Amino acid sequence: MYNMLRVAVLLFSFSTCFARFIVHPEVVPSVGRAWPQPQQYVSESTYFTVDRTKFYFSDSSKCDIIVDAMTRYMNIIFQGCQNSSSTFPLNEQQKLAIKNSSGDLPYLTIKIAGSCEKYPYENMDEQYMIEINTRDYLGAGILYSTTVWGALRGLETFSQLVYEIQPGVHAINTSLTLDFPRFSYRGVLLDTSRHFVPVPHLLANLDAMASVKMNVFHWHIVDDQSFPYVSKTFPELSEKGSFNPKTHTYSQKEIAQIIEYARLRGIRVVAEFDSPGHTMSWGNGRPDILTKCYTGSQWNGNYGPLDPSNHDVYVFLKSLFSEIGTVFPENYVHLGGDEVSFKCWQSNPGIRSFMKAHNISTYAKLEEYYMQNLLDIVKALNKSYVVWQEVFDNGVKIKKDTVVHVWKDGYKSELANVTGAGYNAILSSCWYLNYISYGNDWHAYYQCDPHDFKGSGDQKNLVIGGEACMWGEYVDGSNVISRTWPRAAAVAERLWSNISVTDINAAIPRLEEQRCRMLRRGIKVEPVSGPGYCECDYLL
């Protein structure tokens, strides 16, 4: 038996080592292909050069979002590996590339039919059209949209259609692009409680999101481990609940900076303050709002979730969410409501007496009592809300415009139940990016579809999108961008592009180009498709 085991171990070791020597083909990026893939895109082989010393955007709307975007995209389009805009004498090969072109594209006209909207919102119109050298715009280009949000998405696509034919020489093909998102809600969750993520990395994440047309930053800002949000109403929450109140917090000025940075990129910032569970850090500054846990008839010194029997808890929540509503202008706030342990509630004699007096028969009903009070508070502040699926599962009465966030296994039946009850839903179950594995794990993300459940057409219309989640147990500023991106781009294409866009092999070179594009923009993202190289990766 010993010898057989020894042979087995040797064979396993050999096969494991041999796997290292399997030759994987080099991944070659596409050239001038957009990510996510537009709904309709047709092009010809003829191309126009785009000269950075002559090219400009023409816009008559004067919307601040577009004015800012034009400056930003002028830098992005001509950005080299060293972020240099210096010009050098052209060599003969470069001169030949220009000679073979159909001429210079002098400008891109931007036409926006609507008014200058200020903040992105749910169901905003993001459709656009780009024409380059078409019958109506010979030798010229136009970007047409109804709103500034569509213009932003169109500018991103235009920046991706421009490609380098020689170092320092850029071109764009004769083409027509008609585009709009399949889903209105396309989000990324970052968790800044389990590890603190510095502001520059949150801004880099917004740049990454904008590059793939994602439009909701779900900021899971606080949790059990820390409370980095600096409240002016309750400063003790961050002073005693953050990892370090001097270095590991987000001031309201910094939050305003993040919201403004997101606004200019057409991204909503939905903050999450999860309760009644996941609130241990809240109790460092306000222990009076947590439940005291008992062993027998004595308090054992431990705390549990927020105390739903304590009237002062609801007074506190009203003040806190009143402030949150002014700090975060977004119409929606994420209220959490997941993973509530009943053990501490069960041990507390005061809570048991409260339940008896109010005819509350189960602890699930007690949670429902808490959530109903919280939802009423938020509703009175004229805010809408997103909740984790447990709130729906436990029978809490929620508003018709509530968004139910589906995250557990068995999501297909959950989506059927949520939409069958008439509620909007977003999906995250198959897009937990914090679970990592060796190899092309993005393939599984690419194959997951929010409409893949049994339901009517009306039900599927209630699934408004989805969200890639990066929970913070093992990420901080050192790796949050590289671990999230470009893997989250697979989710972005699933949520934007046509339902028929499912060919992984066709996606691989375009995703590789997107990765190289992000590196060129200074976003330090990891390889995802095997061996290969990008022109800018030597600078990492």
Side-chain angles (χ1 to χ4, degrees):
M1 178 64 74
Y2 170 77
N3 288 333
M4 290 178 65
L5 286 173
R6 188 178 180 189
V7 170
V9 169
L10 288 172
L11 286 173
F12 176 77
S13 299
F14 175 77
S15 64
T16 302
C17 293
F18 180 73
R20 296 180 59 202
F21 294 98
I22 295 174
V23 177
H24 295 274
E26 175 188 341
V27 178
V28 179
S30 58
V31 178
R33 297 292 304 279
W35 190 284
Q37 183 165 304
Q39 297 287 339
Q40 296 182 42
Y41 172 72
V42 291
S43 67
E44 298 178 2
S45 58
T46 57
Y47 66 85
F48 287 75
T49 50
V50 185
D51 188 335
R52 63 184 169 189
T53 64
K54 301 175 183 177
F55 177 80
Y56 64 94
F57 293 115
S58 174
D59 165 58
S60 60
S61 72
K62 308 305 179 184
C63 300
D64 67 328
I65 288 175
I66 301 305
V67 170
D68 179 86
M70 289 190 300
T71 301
R72 185 167 70 251
Y73 279 103
M74 281 295 291
N75 292 328
I76 286 173
I77 289 169
F78 302 110
Q79 194 168 47
C81 290
Q82 300 182 48
N83 193 21
S84 172
S85 59
S86 302
T87 56
F88 300 94
L90 298 179
N91 59 36
E92 292 305 313
Q93 197 174 18
Q94 291 169 322
K95 291 177 182 178
L96 180 62
I98 293 175
K99 183 179 179 180
N100 290 337
S101 75
S102 299
D104 279 335
L105 186 74
Y107 56 84
L108 180 74
T109 299
I110 302 171
K111 288 189 176 181
I112 302 171
S115 59
C116 295
E117 296 176 315
K118 185 174 178 62
Y119 283 101
Y121 53 90
E122 67 275 16
N123 298 317
M124 57 188 171
D125 185 348
E126 298 173 277
Q127 63 183 320
Y128 66 90
M129 176 178 67
I130 301 174
E131 295 184 55
I132 304 295
N133 190 39
T134 60
R135 183 189 306 172
D136 295 331
Y137 295 95
L138 291 173
I142 185 169
L143 163 60
Y144 178 84
S145 67
T146 305
T147 68
V148 293
W149 319 117
L152 279 178
R153 307 306 174 224
L155 281 168
E156 177 58 45
T157 295
F158 178 80
S159 76
Q160 297 182 9
L161 297 180
V162 175
Y163 58 94
E164 241 181 356
I165 49 176
Q166 294 291 333
V169 180
H170 297 80
I172 187 169
N173 286 42
T174 296
S175 56
L176 172 65
T177 305
L178 297 172
D179 204 11
F180 53 87
R182 183 179 168 213
F183 293 98
S184 62
Y185 188 109
R186 308 177 304 281
V188 171
L189 176 150
L190 291 187
D191 168 11
T192 59
S193 172
R194 291 173 175 89
H195 280 99
F196 181 77
V197 178
V199 170
H201 299 288
L202 297 181
L203 300 182
N205 178 65
L206 292 171
D207 282 330
M209 290 178 63
S211 76
V212 295
K213 302 181 176 69
M214 296 187 103
N215 64 358
V216 180
F217 171 35
H218 175 178
W219 192 352
H220 188 88
I221 191 168
V222 301
D223 208 293
D224 280 328
Q225 291 76 15
S226 71
F227 198 102
Y229 168 75
V230 178
S231 168
K232 293 182 178 180
T233 309
F234 303 106
E236 66 274 15
L237 292 173
S238 60
E239 289 172 358
K240 296 182 179 180
S242 64
F243 289 131
N244 186 320
K246 293 183 179 180
T247 57
H248 288 60
T249 58
Y250 302 105
S251 68
Q252 293 190 14
K253 182 178 179 181
E254 289 172 320
I255 292 171
Q257 176 193 1
I258 292 166
I259 292 171
E260 176 65 6
Y261 201 87
R263 180 185 78 87
L264 292 172
R265 286 153 182 79
I267 297 172
R268 301 159 57 194
V269 179
V270 177
E272 180 183 355
F273 288 80
D274 193 0
S275 70
H278 295 282
T279 51
M280 296 306 294
S281 67
W282 304 37
N284 292 330
R286 288 293 302 269
D288 58 304
I289 63 176
L290 298 185
T291 302
K292 288 184 175 181
C293 305
Y294 279 68
T295 301
S297 61
Q298 299 294 322
W299 175 42
N300 62 23
N302 295 321
Y303 291 96
L306 295 184
D307 185 348
S309 70
N310 184 353
H311 174 74
D312 291 341
V313 166
Y314 303 108
V315 175
F316 163 83
L317 289 171
K318 184 177 181 180
S319 296
L320 177 63
F321 278 95
S322 179
E323 177 186 284
I324 290 168
T326 60
V327 173
F328 293 91
E330 162 64 32
N331 184 45
Y332 276 80
V333 60
H334 202 304
L335 299 178
D338 64 319
E339 298 182 320
V340 181
S341 172
F342 297 153
K343 186 176 180 180
C344 185
W345 284 352
Q346 291 169 338
S347 74
N348 187 291
I351 286 182
R352 293 199 300 269
S353 298
F354 176 85
M355 292 174 65
K356 184 176 181 179
H358 289 76
N359 197 29
I360 299 174
S361 57
T362 67
Y363 291 95
K365 287 293 183 182
L366 180 63
E367 181 187 5
E368 179 185 342
Y369 173 87
Y370 168 85
M371 288 303 302
Q372 200 64 64
N373 276 278
L374 175 59
L375 298 185
D376 290 343
I377 287 170
V378 174
K379 181 179 179 181
L381 297 171
N382 294 318
K383 289 283 187 178
S384 298
Y385 42 77
V386 186
V387 293
W388 293 111
Q389 68 180 72
E390 288 94 323
V391 176
F392 168 80
D393 293 342
N394 293 338
V396 178
K397 295 177 182 178
I398 51 181
K399 294 193 301 179
K400 274 300 177 183
D401 66 346
T402 298
V403 177
V404 178
H405 197 161
V406 176
W407 69 278
K408 291 185 175 183
D409 291 337
Y411 68 86
K412 295 182 182 182
S413 60
E414 184 73 15
L415 287 173
N417 292 336
V418 170
T419 57
Y423 294 108
N424 288 329
I426 55 175
L427 176 65
S428 283
S429 303
C430 44
W431 294 321
Y432 268 44
L433 306 187
N434 48 297
Y435 295 139
I436 60 174
S437 59
Y438 187 79
N440 297 316
D441 59 356
W442 67 269
H443 291 186
Y445 309 147
Y446 200 73
Q447 293 169 325
C448 177
D449 194 287
H451 280 171
D452 184 17
F453 68 96
K454 292 182 179 179
S456 66
D458 288 341
Q459 283 182 261
K460 293 187 177 184
N461 288 336
L462 290 172
V463 181
I464 61 173
E467 193 170 274
C469 297
M470 179 56 73
W471 295 99
E473 287 88 350
Y474 297 98
V475 295
D476 60 10
S478 68
N479 65 346
V480 66
I481 297 300
S482 63
R483 187 164 290 185
T484 305
W485 300 99
R487 294 158 74 230
V491 184
E493 181 149 293
R494 179 56 50 244
L495 295 173
W496 179 281
S497 301
N498 190 275
I499 191 173
S500 63
V501 180
T502 57
D503 188 337
I504 289 175
N505 290 328
I508 287 172
R510 289 191 300 106
L511 183 57
E512 188 71 6
E513 181 181 6
Q514 176 61 25
R515 176 182 180 253
C516 294
R517 185 181 290 132
M518 297 172 92
L519 288 176
R520 189 169 66 248
R521 296 183 185 188
I523 307 170
K524 296 185 177 181
V525 300
E526 68 180 17
V528 289
S529 294
Y533 87 103
C534 296
E535 291 293 344
C536 298
D537 59 15
Y538 71 93
L539 293 171
L540 294 175

